[in-house]
Amino acid sequence: MLLLREVPQYECLLERSKRYPELDPSAMEAFLHLLRTSSEVFEAFRTMLSRHELSQGRFTVLVLLNRDPETPVNLADLAERSRVTRATMTGLVDTLERDGLVKREHSADDRRMLLVRLTSSGRTYLDKILPDYFRRVTLVMSQLTPDERKVLVSLMGKVQQSLPAIKAGPLPKSTIA
């Protein structure tokens, strides 16, 4: 995770754009602030979860299973929804199962399919840590009005729609406005 201590001043980016005409100073400034904020949020989240002896991956699995605690979830679907490989999900579930927070079961329809379910201990565990998590998220977002939060969500949606450009191969010069 990239954790920038300082984001270059706009004037510095403007000066750099003389050397690299593709550099849009305002786009770069916004992007670097987004990276810095994302990194700091991720690190704060990691610290908070570590106090509960959880990783982000384990927390994500528990929260996904808690959406409908009575319904078991296919291990492959859980991996896809968590954006991790099946092998990674297997490791996460192994640890959570060892701790008694989830249990595996075979599907009644297809015995080859493994399902994962939150245990009552898992629910109790989440019921203890989620209020703290929700209070902290509320505190972080309290600097924004409800309308500003809606704008933020809308803007982040626009950024997310453009993310394939980062993953793409070389861009022709004509795509840079």
Side-chain angles (χ1 to χ4, degrees):
M1 180 60 62
L2 175 65
L3 187 59
L4 299 172
R5 293 273 178 222
E6 295 179 23
V7 173
Q9 295 292 317
Y10 180 83
E11 293 75 21
C12 179
L13 296 169
L14 188 60
E15 185 63 34
R16 186 61 58 178
S17 71
K18 292 175 185 172
R19 182 172 174 192
Y20 301 103
E22 300 84 2
L23 192 156
D24 175 341
S26 69
M28 184 58 71
E29 180 183 43
F31 183 74
L32 291 174
H33 278 279
L34 175 64
L35 282 179
R36 179 174 180 207
T37 301
S38 297
S39 295
E40 289 181 8
V41 166
F42 184 81
E43 182 59 26
F45 184 56
R46 189 194 64 70
T47 300
M48 189 271 307
L49 288 176
S50 71
R51 282 195 297 275
H52 298 287
E53 299 179 6
L54 276 176
S55 67
Q56 179 189 358
R58 291 178 58 190
F59 179 76
T60 299
V61 172
L62 291 172
V63 169
L64 286 173
L65 292 173
N66 196 45
R67 286 182 178 171
D68 187 4
E70 298 301 319
T71 305
V73 179
N74 177 315
L75 191 67
D77 291 342
L78 198 54
E80 185 177 321
R81 288 165 51 192
S82 301
R83 301 183 68 136
V84 299
T85 65
R86 288 181 186 187
T88 297
M89 182 54 64
T90 297
L92 291 168
V93 170
D94 285 348
T95 306
L96 291 167
E97 189 174 39
R98 182 199 69 212
D99 293 345
L101 302 176
V102 303
K103 69 177 180 176
R104 286 184 175 98
E105 54 192 56
H106 290 282
S107 169
D109 300 331
D110 182 351
R111 301 275 305 151
R112 296 170 296 172
M113 186 184 312
L114 275 179
L115 303 175
V116 181
R117 176 191 303 267
L118 197 60
T119 63
S120 60
S121 294
R123 279 196 229 161
T124 301
Y125 184 69
L126 279 175
D127 288 345
K128 282 183 5 189
I129 65 172
L130 284 177
D132 179 52
Y133 170 72
F134 294 140
R135 281 191 300 274
R136 291 172 191 277
V137 168
T138 300
L139 184 61
V140 168
M141 300 310 293
S142 69
Q143 299 299 310
L144 302 175
T145 67
D147 286 341
E148 289 172 328
R149 294 174 198 166
K150 287 178 185 175
V151 170
L152 179 62
V153 168
S154 174
L155 294 173
M156 291 298 106
K158 288 181 177 185
V159 170
Q160 289 171 13
Q161 288 175 356
S162 301
L163 287 177
I166 290 178
K167 298 176 185 177
L171 296 175
K173 288 186 180 191
S174 63
T175 62
I176 301 171

